[in-house]
Amino acid sequence: MTPPPSPPPPPTPSLAPADLVITGCTALVHDEHEGIAFVEDAAIVVRDGAIASIGPAEETAPVATAERIDARGQVAMPGLINCHTHAPMVALRGIAEDMPAEEWFNDVIWPVESNLTANDVELGARLACAEMIRGGVTCFADHYFSMDAVAAVVEETGLRAHLGEAFFSSQGPEGRARSLEFALRHRGAAGGRITTALAPHAPYTVEDADLVTTAELAREHGLPVHLHASESRDQTDNSLARHGFTPIEVLERTGLLGLDAGVLIAHGTGIVERDLPVLERATGPVAVATAPRGYLKFAWPTTPVRALRRIGVPVGLATDGAASNNSLDVWEAMALTALVQKSTEGDPRWLTSRQALHHATLQSARAVGLGERIGSLAPGRRADIVLVDLTGPHTQPVHDLAATLVHSARSADVRTTIVDGRVLMRDRELLTVDVPTTVRELTDRLPALTDRGHGGRIQDYDKPPE
Amino acid sequence: MTPPPSPPPPPTPSLAPADLVITGCTALVHDEHEGIAFVEDAAIVVRDGAIASIGPAEETAPVATAERIDARGQVAMPGLINCHTHAPMVALRGIAEDMPAEEWFNDVIWPVESNLTANDVELGARLACAEMIRGGVTCFADHYFSMDAVAAVVEETGLRAHLGEAFFSSQGPEGRARSLEFALRHRGAAGGRITTALAPHAPYTVEDADLVTTAELAREHGLPVHLHASESRDQTDNSLARHGFTPIEVLERTGLLGLDAGVLIAHGTGIVERDLPVLERATGPVAVATAPRGYLKFAWPTTPVRALRRIGVPVGLATDGAASNNSLDVWEAMALTALVQKSTEGDPRWLTSRQALHHATLQSARAVGLGERIGSLAPGRRADIVLVDLTGPHTQPVHDLAATLVHSARSADVRTTIVDGRVLMRDRELLTVDVPTTVRELTDRLPALTDRGHGGRIQDYDKPPE
């Protein structure tokens, strides 16, 4: 006869009081192979902005706490990460609809962007942060202009962000210098919630020599690079016609695939077969951000997620700016990634709900260079947590919780959003943004912002070589 | 000198008090060419379940009313219509994920459906109605079993519905007789909110002779027919291999394209070039319901909406059942139709937001045979109205209201749902369904419902001929 198993050791009494304890939820965690798992009736203890413990309530010692959230009927999961956006562009949501990308850029967006003031950027970023907090986004990678204003809004609203000041070669060396200065000055700001990147716009708007210098600066300062590349198949074809290399090959030749701090490539829908060995032999971290909604809208192909996964490249989820995507709804990007990948690959078994959740969590965290700090609910990780209400009729009954989250739940089911242990939205109420005032101020600015009478534009969209 | 224009005539004082008056909203209306237009600061007067008047508040006479809704910041639009669903299948939401259609039907859904009781159908339908009311759906076309239970739930929850009792030839003539008996008995029930159809399952499960009889019965009784046809390209290929005709040609040969009351074809993703002249020469009304989410998930092609529009066939929006679609979110179906159509046709200019709204309103109403009664906000139409809140950060600012509705708003932005002038949801609160009780009762039934130990199934999915 074997003796009965010994009872588990009694929970260790906690010494310090917690800042926040969440109880009664089902928690989405990752197993040792990074598989998605769920812990029922979980308790999450948060201290000093980090997760102190997470596990079944019965194994969690009672702890004094400043704040307690009863999350019965809700799922706790890592906050969503918007891996590529231009947050202030919410100001232009719906301004240019139902047209091809070239017309969208050249005839509307780039002319309008020549009117942008830092104040417009600030108002747009504030509205965008409100939208993202309401949609369960806890971190966003932004690539825009007047980024000091965005950094100030991040500080004020409590979100986490990975920020880069965009530049074109047409701005001369000052553009690149501003991007570097921004990255160095804001790195680690907002109590560590802000990380930064150098942000050349794209290989078709930034010359090779400029990209080489960018890579050297990135290496010198330990900074990552965030840029658009291979956005569409046309860009790849134009790049080949122009100098015989694909945009991905340009990244390799200019040294951007060998950075210790990594490179984040936005879109990559024009990544072709010959690019795969190039990405595979990269000597620094490489990730791709996919924003599938806009690709459907522009009738572009989508990011080759399956091929990228096969060579080990993380693919994070994104919305791009709201001027093309119409929203900053990363939850929708998660569902669309699953749906569009199945359709594109012709394989209903590919991109399961659990794979979609892996993209939304760990892969997205890696894409923005925060793979060790966020992206999973585990002791020591920053407490970036969202609570998702599954009691609505559209999310019941639950036969497969991963499918319920990806395919039935919606961003509006996020009830509570927490970053660094601080509650930014509680029961759908935003605590750090005044939406009506922001909308009013932004609306007052729209006539001046959208004026195209001046005939100028900040840049030209990629055109085939003459 | 021309004289100044004479002032508009003073509003005619109304004689009878109204049942409901909605003020302060922007109203989505159709112009004389069916184009989408918006009336700002509109007032809608509802009397006896119908729209008595709609127009600018300043042209609307003050009227006494039993109920008044201040809808400032909201858009009033016709309630959404789910043109093809199996509402009770919400009970199976998420039960069979990430697999091809054949496996989904044969290995999971049809075995499980052999366990279905009328009580399961009732509970599922009640939960589905809650979900649809919350998502702004005011009418649904249902095609399932134990439809008496669905009709009872429609009566109780206040929705409008177009119901058909499904049958297979494998059930013998009794199946068809039951479908007819159901259609005749429930036609005009629930105060006229229920209309009915004969509901053969599909050409691959109902023999040609049975379809011929169905068409004769439909003609004799003035009933429409609602069935699956050409669901996938494989079904078209199998049909051609089996007897040399496409499923659409089978519909023509069996007389189903010549019914005065019309035929509603679910899916039609397998409609091919040779089917178009067949549909064009149909002597009775023909419409197609498209449910794009499930096609992406099964890696099917999508409904050829552009080709169908070219020959004048209305295409209504649908979700199919939640076991494949994971939700009954017609708002999402509207957005996905726009996105997937652009992508599939390779044309960003096709399927604009206004076209999507036309599919969601008049075309969907025509698809379910109610083109004269619902589908637009106009005097004399039934008062099936939803109020959509656009004050959220994700729907601001508004540069293009049609785009805001289709691409930025979500089903959760519907605040109020009204059918036949009766408020079924007010400020997100459901007034006719008790969701927690329904979920509890349904959850208790799940172990018996999902048992597949018996090895039976109600039918076999379309297989190529041996």
Side-chain angles (χ1 to χ4, degrees):
Chain A
M1 251 180 84
T2 47
S6 49
T12 322
S14 178
L15 298 173
D19 300 314
L20 172 65
V21 173
I22 302 166
T23 57
C25 57
T26 297
L28 185 159
V29 297
H30 296 77
D31 65 23
E32 63 272 31
H33 309 293
E34 295 193 2
I36 302 294
F38 294 101
V39 179
E40 288 188 35
D41 192 16
I44 305 173
V45 177
V46 174
R47 195 174 284 125
D48 298 330
I51 296 172
S53 74
I54 173 167
E58 63 193 24
E59 296 172 19
T60 306
V63 59
T65 182
E67 181 169 8
R68 193 176 294 272
I69 296 176
D70 176 352
R72 276 175 291 182
Q74 300 180 41
V75 170
M77 57 183 275
L80 296 174
I81 299 163
N82 193 345
C83 294
H84 175 75
T85 187
H86 317 285
M89 291 182 84
V90 295
L92 309 179
R93 188 196 311 274
I95 202 177
E97 293 290 308
D98 306 313
M99 58 181 71
E102 188 182 319
E103 195 176 324
W104 182 87
F105 272 116
N106 284 336
D107 294 352
V108 187
I109 299 302
W110 280 350
V112 165
E113 281 183 337
S114 66
N115 301 327
L116 266 180
T117 67
N119 184 44
D120 298 333
V121 167
E122 181 187 323
L123 292 170
R126 192 172 289 131
L127 186 64
C129 287
E131 177 179 355
M132 288 193 277
I133 294 168
R134 293 228 321 163
V137 173
T138 54
C139 177
F140 66 104
D142 209 59
H143 190 287
Y144 210 57
F145 314 104
S146 300
M147 290 295 290
D148 281 339
V150 178
V153 170
V154 168
E155 164 79 49
E156 149 202 323
T157 57
L159 278 169
R160 187 180 306 286
H162 182 64
L163 306 178
E165 175 89 27
F167 67 94
F168 304 109
S169 284
S170 60
Q171 297 165 323
E174 295 74 19
R176 193 181 60 227
R178 247 194 328 266
S179 191
L180 176 63
E181 192 274 330
F182 174 87
L184 294 176
R185 184 159 45 86
H186 287 281
R187 175 156 62 172
R193 286 186 282 110
I194 292 178
T195 51
T196 56
L198 296 176
H201 176 261
Y204 74 90
T205 48
V206 179
E207 289 161 15
D208 289 7
D210 222 352
L211 292 176
V212 168
T213 310
T214 303
E216 287 166 356
L217 291 169
R219 231 184 317 269
E220 181 186 338
H221 297 284
L223 285 166
V225 169
H226 176 186
L227 84 174
H228 305 87
S230 249
E231 291 177 87
S232 67
R233 187 56 189 264
D234 278 355
Q235 286 186 9
T236 301
D237 293 344
N238 293 349
S239 179
L240 283 165
R242 191 174 290 124
H243 45 48
F245 300 107
T246 69
I248 298 299
E249 288 167 339
V250 170
L251 300 191
E252 182 181 50
R253 292 165 57 83
T254 54
L256 288 166
L257 301 187
L259 305 177
D260 287 346
V263 63
L264 170 56
I265 298 169
H267 310 309
T269 80
I271 290 174
V272 290
E273 198 60 35
R274 65 189 262 186
D275 292 326
L276 298 174
V278 178
L279 292 168
E280 194 169 13
R281 68 177 174 248
T283 54
V286 178
V288 174
T290 189
R293 188 184 223 285
Y295 314 149
L296 293 169
K297 214 162 161 228
F298 281 143
W300 282 356
T302 201
T303 313
V305 175
R306 196 172 205 170
L308 291 168
R309 290 308 296 149
R310 210 174 274 134
I311 59 171
V313 172
V315 179
L317 304 180
T319 65
D320 208 355
S324 56
N325 197 81
N326 300 72
S327 88
L328 305 179
D329 188 343
V330 178
W331 204 286
E332 183 195 52
M334 174 167 69
L336 279 178
T337 297
L339 294 172
V340 170
Q341 286 296 316
K342 286 172 187 292
S343 171
T344 304
E345 296 289 338
D347 183 0
R349 300 185 201 279
W350 161 244
L351 227 134
T352 64
S353 298
R354 283 163 191 270
Q355 287 173 320
L357 289 166
H358 191 256
H359 283 282
T361 55
L362 281 173
Q363 287 184 60
S364 288
R366 283 173 192 145
V368 298
L370 295 169
E372 303 301 315
R373 301 180 63 197
I374 59 173
S376 74
L377 302 186
R381 298 262 166 170
R382 302 307 300 169
D384 291 10
I385 305 168
V386 296
L387 301 176
V388 187
D389 185 350
L390 297 187
T391 62
H394 60 297
T395 45
Q396 289 292 326
V398 178
H399 289 284
D400 174 337
L401 184 48
T404 300
L405 288 170
V406 173
H407 290 296
S408 300
R410 299 288 186 265
S411 54
D413 295 315
V414 175
R415 290 204 67 78
T416 296
T417 301
I418 299 163
V419 174
D420 253 8
R422 178 182 177 201
V423 179
L424 307 185
M425 175 176 76
R426 183 186 287 114
D427 286 331
R428 305 281 310 145
E429 188 198 348
L430 290 170
L431 303 179
T432 60
V433 193
D434 173 354
V435 173
T437 301
T438 307
V439 169
R440 199 164 46 241
E441 291 175 7
L442 182 59
T443 303
D444 287 347
R445 272 292 302 159
L446 294 182
L449 179 57
T450 59
D451 173 40
R452 288 183 277 155
H454 48 70
R457 69 169 76 128
I458 56 167
Q459 193 62 221
D460 285 305
Y461 186 64
D462 196 24
K463 286 194 183 125
E466 314 266 311
Chain B
M1 250 180 85
T2 47
S6 50
T12 321
S14 176
L15 299 171
D19 299 315
L20 172 66
V21 173
I22 302 166
T23 56
C25 57
T26 297
L28 185 159
V29 297
H30 296 77
D31 65 23
E32 63 272 34
H33 309 292
E34 295 193 2
I36 301 294
F38 294 100
V39 179
E40 289 189 36
D41 192 15
I44 305 173
V45 177
V46 174
R47 195 175 285 126
D48 297 330
I51 296 173
S53 75
I54 174 167
E58 63 193 24
E59 296 172 18
T60 305
V63 59
T65 183
E67 182 169 7
R68 193 176 293 273
I69 296 176
D70 177 352
R72 276 175 291 183
Q74 299 180 41
V75 170
M77 56 183 274
L80 297 174
I81 299 165
N82 193 344
C83 294
H84 175 74
T85 187
H86 316 286
M89 292 183 83
V90 294
L92 309 180
R93 190 196 308 277
I95 203 178
E97 293 291 308
D98 306 313
M99 59 181 72
E102 188 182 318
E103 195 176 324
W104 182 88
F105 272 117
N106 284 335
D107 295 352
V108 188
I109 298 303
W110 280 350
V112 164
E113 283 184 336
S114 66
N115 301 326
L116 266 181
T117 66
N119 184 45
D120 298 334
V121 167
E122 180 187 324
L123 292 170
R126 191 172 291 131
L127 186 64
C129 286
E131 177 179 354
M132 288 193 278
I133 295 168
R134 293 227 321 163
V137 173
T138 54
C139 178
F140 66 105
D142 209 57
H143 190 287
Y144 210 57
F145 315 104
S146 300
M147 290 295 291
D148 282 339
V150 177
V153 169
V154 168
E155 163 80 50
E156 148 203 323
T157 57
L159 278 168
R160 187 182 306 284
H162 183 64
L163 306 178
E165 175 88 27
F167 66 94
F168 304 110
S169 284
S170 61
Q171 297 165 323
E174 295 75 20
R176 194 183 59 229
R178 248 194 325 268
S179 192
L180 175 63
E181 192 275 330
F182 173 86
L184 294 176
R185 184 158 44 87
H186 287 282
R187 176 156 60 173
R193 286 185 282 110
I194 292 180
T195 51
T196 56
L198 295 177
H201 177 262
Y204 73 90
T205 49
V206 179
E207 290 161 15
D208 288 7
D210 224 351
L211 292 177
V212 169
T213 310
T214 302
E216 287 165 356
L217 290 169
R219 231 184 316 268
E220 180 187 339
H221 297 283
L223 286 166
V225 169
H226 176 187
L227 83 175
H228 304 89
S230 250
E231 292 178 86
S232 67
R233 187 56 190 262
D234 279 355
Q235 286 186 10
T236 301
D237 293 343
N238 294 348
S239 179
L240 283 166
R242 191 175 289 124
H243 45 48
F245 299 108
T246 69
I248 298 300
E249 288 167 338
V250 170
L251 299 191
E252 181 181 51
R253 292 166 56 83
T254 55
L256 287 167
L257 300 188
L259 305 177
D260 287 346
V263 63
L264 171 56
I265 298 169
H267 310 310
T269 80
I271 289 174
V272 291
E273 199 61 33
R274 65 188 264 184
D275 292 327
L276 298 174
V278 178
L279 292 168
E280 195 168 15
R281 68 176 174 247
T283 54
V286 178
V288 174
T290 189
R293 189 183 223 283
Y295 315 148
L296 293 168
K297 216 164 159 223
F298 281 143
W300 283 356
T302 202
T303 312
V305 175
R306 195 172 204 169
L308 291 168
R309 291 307 297 146
R310 210 173 275 134
I311 59 170
V313 173
V315 179
L317 304 180
T319 65
D320 209 357
S324 56
N325 197 80
N326 299 72
S327 86
L328 305 180
D329 188 341
V330 178
W331 203 287
E332 183 194 51
M334 174 167 68
L336 279 177
T337 296
L339 295 171
V340 170
Q341 286 296 317
K342 286 173 187 292
S343 171
T344 303
E345 297 288 338
D347 183 0
R349 299 186 203 278
W350 160 244
L351 225 135
T352 64
S353 298
R354 282 162 191 269
Q355 288 174 320
L357 288 166
H358 191 256
H359 283 283
T361 54
L362 280 174
Q363 287 185 59
S364 288
R366 284 172 192 147
V368 298
L370 294 167
E372 302 302 314
R373 300 178 64 196
I374 59 173
S376 75
L377 302 186
R381 299 261 166 172
R382 303 307 300 168
D384 291 10
I385 305 168
V386 296
L387 302 176
V388 187
D389 186 350
L390 297 187
T391 61
H394 61 296
T395 45
Q396 288 293 327
V398 177
H399 289 284
D400 174 338
L401 183 49
T404 300
L405 288 170
V406 174
H407 290 297
S408 299
R410 299 288 185 266
S411 55
D413 295 316
V414 175
R415 291 204 66 77
T416 296
T417 301
I418 299 162
V419 175
D420 252 7
R422 178 182 176 201
V423 180
L424 306 185
M425 175 175 76
R426 183 186 287 113
D427 286 332
R428 304 285 305 147
E429 187 199 348
L430 290 170
L431 303 179
T432 59
V433 194
D434 173 353
V435 172
T437 300
T438 307
V439 168
R440 199 162 49 242
E441 290 175 6
L442 182 59
T443 303
D444 287 347
R445 272 291 303 158
L446 294 182
L449 179 57
T450 58
D451 174 38
R452 286 184 278 155
H454 49 70
R457 68 169 76 128
I458 56 165
Q459 194 61 219
D460 284 306
Y461 186 64
D462 196 25
K463 286 193 184 126
E466 314 266 310

